[in-house]
Amino acid sequence: MAMKTPARAGAVTLMAALGTTALLAQTVIKLPKNKYTPEQDVKLGLEAAAEVRKQYPVIKDEKIASYLTTLGDRLVAVAPTELKQSVYQYSFTPVNLKEINAFALPGGPMFVNRGMFDAAASEGEVVGVMAHELSHVLLRHGTANMTKAQNPWLQLGQIAGAVGGAVVGGEAGSAIAQGSQFGLGTILLRYSRDFEKQADLLGAQMMARAGYDPRALAHMFETIAAESKGSGGTPQWLNSHPDPGNRTAYITKEAEALTIASAADTSQFQPIKTTFKAMPPGKSTADVERAHAANGAGGGGEAPASVGHPGQPVPRPSAQFRDISGGKVFQASVPDNWTSLASKSSIKVVPQNGYGELNGTTVWSHGVEFGVTRPSSRDLHEATKAWLQGIAQGNPELRLGGEQQSVRISQRSALATPLVNPSPLGGKEHIMVYTTFLSDGTLFYYLTVAPEKDAAAFEDVFRKIVDSIRLTEVR
Ligand SMILES: [Zn+2]
């Protein structure tokens, strides 16, 4: 970075001696590449927000709702003019969910969980998270994610699909994906570490202009991280907002380069906390999703179920196998200590503690899935590619884990595709996807998943299962 020669050397020496950081400039944040229009952001965001309001327990309390809007309006008022599109329709909606979380949709709708208020030590902490969310809106990160997702197969990892959330570890966003016209809730709300850092920095800048110390944002992130230590898993917030690392350090540094405007009036914060205390406790996201699925409004027809507690040790697969069958489509043998979970078009078979609720979301860490899907092509490579792109939409960090290979399943030509994805338990997970055509042209798949640390221990059982598959449809 080039520095101008100071006019008065004496003053600079004094400033240096005091360790002042007045010479630092605030970080310039740029809009990422985006092939959508701001109008499309607004349309998409409004449609998704309508779904969210149907499915999530929105808090109707007038005092709380208007308080949240006051905070949001303060931030919008100080947002950089060049980023404020006139078409945006900002809204700030409190939700009675207990997880420390918040999210914003393209074009302006923002939802803040009650858990965020309960966990916040000051108004600045709530405002900090809202400023971070508003930054995602202003920088159009949701549709920037979609722009990235249009890349071809070799950049599979950049792509985002509706199938994915259900197939490779569900997440909170899937409730939004369901029913949304684009089925893209997951991609809209899963940001890269780079986008996260940009949202932190722009958020810090807006906080300072609105009269809050940006370091409150860093403190809120520490609270969220501490929540994960307490529960031993990943907090819901981090599912969509991955930690770029050194958050406290760079937010503090940015704060030092900023001038905080005259302090905002925070006198409403404590009374609002008291109002919350008088309300019944917040629900967990998992409870809400379960209730929604029970009402038959779910997308995949898959009722959330738990097989033990993800994160707890997974017992070794039994050497004894039992037969399962999927309608008229297939038969296979699976370890007899694993549990089958069937939905309309797929069957998961999972070991104890391999599938269930973890920190309010449904995750799948270990096991196999058999399923059928309508192919987009009669060419196996093409059909597999298209289906994997669908999976990748719900798993933006999914990567190829090696060479795709030609194999045989039940004496038919099949493809085996190794993939690597972040495990819901932390670290990486290994995924292997086998695909082949049924005689009617339907694409059949067999998918295995295990965390990297357990991959070797499960390799054998996964192979025994694939060798046992018999495709049984009538020819
Ligand atoms: Zn974020």
Side-chain angles (χ1 to χ4, degrees), residues 41 44-50 52 89 103-111 133 136-137 142 176 185 188-189 191:
D41 274 44
L44 184 56
L46 288 179
E47 280 169 4
V52 171
Q89 299 189 28
F103 62 95
L105 296 164
M110 188 187 299
F111 296 83
E133 292 299 338
H136 283 313
V137 172
I176 303 156
L188 292 176
L189 299 174
Y191 307 108

Side-chain angles (χ1 to χ4, degrees), residues 26-29 78 80 200-210 214 254 258:
Q26 69 176 57
T27 310
V28 178
I29 313 287
V78 297
D200 287 346
L201 295 174
L202 180 58
Q205 294 168 8
M206 289 191 288
M207 284 179 82
R209 284 199 287 275
E254 188 73 15
L258 297 168

Side-chain angles (χ1 to χ4, degrees), residues 132-133 136 191 195-196 199 237 240-241 247:
H132 174 102
E133 292 299 338
H136 283 313
Y191 307 108
F195 284 1
E196 279 308 288
W237 167 269
S240 40
H241 306 270
R247 251 181 165 145

Side-chain angles (χ1 to χ4, degrees), residues 90-429:
Y90 309 97
S91 60
F92 307 92
T93 307
V95 181
N96 198 26
L97 287 173
K98 66 182 185 186
E99 290 87 4
I100 311 180
N101 206 357
F103 62 95
L105 296 164
M110 188 187 299
F111 296 83
V112 181
N113 278 10
R114 178 213 182 136
M116 190 64 80
F117 290 94
D118 291 343
S122 68
E123 184 171 284
E125 296 191 9
V126 176
V127 168
V129 169
M130 293 175 73
H132 174 102
E133 292 299 338
L134 181 61
S135 300
H136 283 313
V137 172
L138 296 170
L139 296 167
R140 307 182 59 212
H141 283 162
T143 45
N145 279 348
M146 285 172 60
T147 303
K148 283 200 263 181
Q150 307 297 322
N151 292 355
W153 158 242
L154 283 174
Q155 274 105 38
L156 174 70
Q158 309 294 322
I159 311 176
V163 210
V167 173
V168 191
E171 58 143 357
S174 64
I176 303 156
Q178 293 168 0
S180 149
Q181 188 197 328
F182 299 89
L184 284 171
T186 49
I187 180 175
L188 292 176
L189 299 174
R190 270 193 178 185
Y191 307 108
S192 65
R193 288 177 170 78
D194 188 39
F195 284 1
E196 279 308 288
K197 188 167 179 181
Q198 305 271 298
D200 287 346
L201 295 174
L202 180 58
Q205 294 168 8
M206 289 191 288
M207 284 179 82
R209 284 199 287 275
Y212 297 91
D213 187 334
R215 282 168 290 200
L217 175 60
H219 188 257
M220 191 71 220
F221 287 136
E222 284 165 15
T223 302
I224 291 170
E227 180 203 25
S228 74
K229 275 185 198 120
S231 63
T234 309
Q236 200 183 73
W237 167 269
L238 291 172
N239 282 339
S240 40
H241 306 270
D243 186 350
N246 300 317
R247 251 181 165 145
T248 300
Y250 70 69
I251 292 172
T252 305
K253 185 162 170 256
E254 188 73 15
E256 286 164 355
L258 297 168
T259 307
I260 300 172
S262 59
D265 172 14
T266 62
S267 61
Q268 281 304 298
F269 182 65
Q270 284 308 331
I272 288 292
K273 279 206 131 186
T274 309
T275 307
F276 272 117
K277 281 210 185 83
M279 287 169 50
K283 295 174 181 158
S284 76
T285 305
D287 283 345
V288 169
E289 288 180 353
R290 205 172 287 130
H292 188 250
N295 288 339
E302 187 164 6
S306 246
V307 183
H309 302 280
Q312 300 294 310
V314 172
R316 294 178 63 85
S318 165
Q320 301 296 314
F321 276 58
R322 66 183 168 89
D323 291 337
I324 61 161
S325 68
K328 289 180 182 165
V329 176
F330 75 95
Q331 290 179 346
S333 299
V334 296
D336 70 2
N337 62 343
W338 288 17
T339 304
S340 303
L341 303 165
S343 74
K344 258 183 249 164
S345 58
S346 68
I347 299 177
K348 279 188 182 66
V349 192
V350 299
Q352 185 68 16
N353 302 327
Y355 179 91
E357 185 191 331
L358 183 66
N359 302 318
T361 58
T362 302
V363 302
W364 181 32
S365 62
H366 295 71
V368 301
E369 182 174 293
F370 308 87
V372 289
T373 180
R374 194 174 301 135
S376 60
S377 163
R378 303 178 76 106
D379 176 86
L380 186 57
H381 281 93
E382 285 301 312
T384 300
K385 176 174 141 179
W387 183 68
L388 288 172
Q389 283 173 340
I391 293 183
Q393 285 184 13
N395 295 273
E397 292 182 64
L398 191 69
R399 297 280 185 279
L400 266 177
E403 292 273 313
Q404 199 171 44
Q405 300 203 348
S406 292
V407 294
R408 296 190 84 75
I409 290 182
S410 191
Q411 297 168 335
R412 285 164 204 240
S413 299
L415 281 177
T417 311
L419 300 163
V420 179
N421 195 48
S423 170
L425 306 181
K428 287 186 186 342
E429 66 188 5

